[in-house]
Amino acid sequence: MKILILGGDGYLGWPTALHLSEAGHDVAVVDNFARRGYDHEMGTGSLVPIEPLQVRIRAWHELTGQFIGCYVGDLTDAEFTHHVVRDFEPDTIVHFAEQRAAPYSMVDRKHAVYTQVNNVVGTLNVLYAIAEINPDIHLVKLGTMGAYGEPNIDIEEGWIEIEHKGRKDRVLFPKRPGSFYHLSKVHDSHNIEFACRIWGIRATDLNQGIVYGQQTPQTARDDRLATRYDYDAVFGTVLNRFVIQAVLGLPLTVYGNGGQVRGIIEIRDTVRCLQLACENPAARGEFRVFNQMTQSLSVMQMAQTVARVCPDKVTIEHLANPRVEEERHHYNVVHSGLLELGLEPHLLSDTLIESLLVITKRYAHRVRPEAMIPTVDWRRASSPISL
Ligand code: NAD
Ligand code: USQ
């Protein structure tokens, strides 16, 4: 297949590009390097050094003989988006290219507006490019488990059958997200479902849980192929941060009592899920939803697992929760769609945490410990950014 990967310079887009290239697909990536720009804005950076995109692509070609195409530009620019889709003529578009940090979206008005405009307008431009150029293209769009929030009922896979006053219908599962970032994914999902309904395009919405891990078999082949690994309080995600804190001898920063339960998934499973979604496309007119997570753990369970595996003494600190979120709630998620397509999950294991500890020790000197402290406060309309 010809697969266009939007956001192909990012934490997940880059390993997915390599995985799909190795699987025999003809791959091109699109990015505007916004993610590298946020690092400059916040004075932080990936723990593991990453090469410029062009160096990564050349290294992959040198090692495997495979070409990965590259388009540099912004998806909120409709002309650019149309140009890329016309020029590459993809069968499938995998869309990772959004501002993805909840705390970044909650800094202040400017960051909230940027997040929603970037994410919603970029996705609308992609939908129009598909509808106008080739409605047969399959859109595989990254969504998020956090769009559902923590309802007091089981979370279904995107859709729910309801009965109301004696009548029945199948509707999109109700959403109750916890940040302006997560809300941008809800808006995207509605726009995509609408496009499937009115234009008959095909789409898969992957409501992904929190990703952990740093290596895939492809990125591990050469340091030049490494993907990013974030630790700061704005972009670093919870399990990745806990491992880095453990190595540095810093307390693990559990927000509140740590009873919040989240769906998680390892990076090797992410790239495999993307392959399964691409190779088994949705039908024309179908808005297909998968819950892309492999297990659920509370934040406290994640901290305790890291503390148990780390050979050094680890302390767990409960910080006042900077977010507004439930810390004790029901959480039971249906996530059978990708398993039915053949996913064999890697569950959180001691071996994986040990390998992350090794990677972290190698680059520990690059950490700025002050960037670990959360500064974005959900209860205030305006917060100082990290540092
Ligand atoms: P990332 O920030 O590392 O990658 C996103 C990439 O998209 C970046 O390289 C960025 O420069 C690019 N981008 C952003 N806006 C763009 C635009 N307007 N035009 C062109 N390029 C643009 O993020 P990630 O962690 O790789 O996440 C990828 C996707 O997966 C996101 O949509 C995110 O919401 C979703 N997701 C991530 C996680 C996670 O734990 N990392 C979990 C669930 C869902
Ligand atoms: N948390 C802590 N301590 C920390 C960091 C986080 O207790 O040091 C807690 C948070 O309060 C939250 C949970 O851990 O309850 C998850 O936080 P996170 O920053 O790891 O993840 P989140 O903000 O939900 O966002 C991440 C990605 C986002 C993706 C989402 C998947 O940044 O792109 O969409 O995970 S999900 O959570 O399923 O929506």
Side-chain angles (χ1 to χ4, degrees), residues 100 144-146 181-182 210 238 241 253 255 299 323 325:
R100 70 106 175 124
T144 183
M145 281 304 300
Y181 153 70
H182 287 94
I210 305 167
V238 61
R241 271 165 63 76
T253 52
Y255 298 166
V299 166
R323 305 188 184 197
E325 58 187 0

Side-chain angles (χ1 to χ4, degrees), residues 18-230:
L18 299 188
H19 181 80
L20 294 175
S21 171
E22 186 155 283
H25 298 293
D26 182 2
V27 172
V29 294
V30 178
D31 213 289
N32 67 349
F33 307 126
R35 178 67 193 87
R36 294 181 189 244
Y38 312 143
D39 280 348
H40 292 309
E41 178 188 4
M42 295 182 298
T44 182
S46 166
L47 176 80
V48 175
I50 52 169
E51 293 290 349
L53 180 58
Q54 288 78 2
V55 174
R56 293 169 146 184
I57 289 173
R58 274 201 302 276
W60 182 246
H61 180 240
E62 187 188 302
L63 290 162
T64 66
Q66 299 297 320
F67 287 101
I68 291 180
C70 178
Y71 297 87
V72 175
D74 189 331
L75 294 171
T76 63
D77 172 351
E79 266 180 43
F80 168 75
T81 306
H82 273 64
H83 161 74
V84 173
V85 175
R86 266 209 189 87
D87 190 66
F88 186 65
E89 299 180 333
D91 302 299
T92 305
I93 297 179
V94 177
H95 182 10
F96 289 100
E98 299 202 330
Q99 190 303 97
R100 70 106 175 124
Y104 191 87
S105 75
M106 299 299 290
V107 169
D108 56 14
R109 186 201 61 81
K110 192 176 114 189
H111 289 80
V113 171
Y114 164 75
T115 299
Q116 294 214 349
V117 171
N118 185 64
N119 297 1
V120 176
V121 173
T123 299
L124 272 174
N125 286 343
V126 172
L127 290 172
Y128 268 91
I130 292 174
E132 288 174 5
I133 297 166
N134 177 9
D136 213 32
I137 295 171
H138 178 209
L139 174 64
V140 178
K141 165 69 169 52
L142 270 293
T144 183
M145 281 304 300
Y148 297 115
E150 298 93 15
N152 199 31
I153 55 174
D154 288 3
I155 295 175
E156 301 297 326
E157 214 145 17
W159 295 87
I160 186 168
E161 303 275 346
I162 58 161
E163 190 173 339
H164 182 63
K165 295 183 179 169
R167 301 184 68 82
K168 289 186 181 169
D169 206 346
R170 177 177 180 260
V171 297
L172 289 177
F173 195 91
K175 308 286 169 59
R176 192 161 45 190
S179 74
F180 283 122
Y181 153 70
H182 287 94
L183 272 157
S184 74
K185 297 286 190 184
V186 177
H187 306 326
D188 282 343
S189 295
H190 283 108
N191 288 341
I192 299 168
E193 188 273 335
F194 181 67
C196 291
R197 197 154 31 95
I198 57 164
W199 293 325
I201 69 169
R202 53 175 99 230
T204 302
D205 204 8
L206 297 173
N207 286 328
Q208 185 169 237
I210 305 167
V211 183
Y212 62 96
Q214 195 268 334
Q215 287 186 334
T216 62
Q218 294 79 33
T219 65
R221 287 172 72 155
D222 188 295
D223 280 351
R224 290 171 297 170
L225 300 177
T227 196
R228 50 181 314 125
Y229 188 44
D230 295 300

Side-chain angles (χ1 to χ4, degrees), residues 232-381:
D232 61 275
V234 175
F235 276 89
T237 48
V238 61
L239 245 172
N240 288 347
R241 271 165 63 76
F242 286 169
V243 170
I244 295 168
Q245 289 163 343
V247 167
L248 295 177
L250 297 169
L252 310 194
T253 52
V254 169
Y255 298 166
N257 71 22
Q260 318 78 307
V261 181
R262 294 289 179 265
I264 59 172
I265 180 167
E266 214 233 283
I267 191 165
R268 288 175 295 173
D269 289 342
T270 291
V271 300
R272 178 80 182 122
C273 288
L274 265 301
Q275 181 182 2
L276 290 168
C278 292
E279 292 178 355
N280 300 279
R284 283 293 297 268
E286 184 187 8
F287 176 67
R288 181 175 66 167
V289 185
F290 292 135
N291 290 337
Q292 185 165 305
M293 52 165 280
T294 54
Q295 66 191 121
S296 306
L297 288 179
S298 72
V299 166
M300 198 58 194
Q301 285 172 318
M302 296 182 212
Q304 284 163 342
T305 309
V306 172
R308 179 173 50 73
V309 177
C310 185
D312 306 320
K313 183 172 160 39
V314 173
T315 54
I316 295 175
E317 186 180 3
H318 291 269
L319 302 185
N321 198 333
R323 305 188 184 197
V324 177
E325 58 187 0
E326 301 286 336
E327 294 174 13
R328 190 185 304 273
H329 58 91
H330 176 75
Y331 200 75
N332 190 32
V333 181
V334 176
H335 53 102
S336 49
L338 287 158
L339 297 173
E340 282 159 17
L341 288 182
L343 177 68
E344 290 169 15
H346 296 85
L347 300 184
L348 183 62
S349 69
D350 291 7
T351 327
L352 187 268
I353 294 180
E354 279 158 16
S355 70
L356 276 178
L357 291 168
V358 171
I359 294 167
T360 304
K361 278 192 182 127
R362 181 175 170 202
Y363 295 111
H365 60 280
R366 288 169 54 88
V367 172
R368 299 184 64 190
E370 65 275 25
M372 288 282 184
I373 310 300
T375 58
V376 180
D377 180 350
W378 260 232
R379 291 168 184 81
R380 294 164 47 147

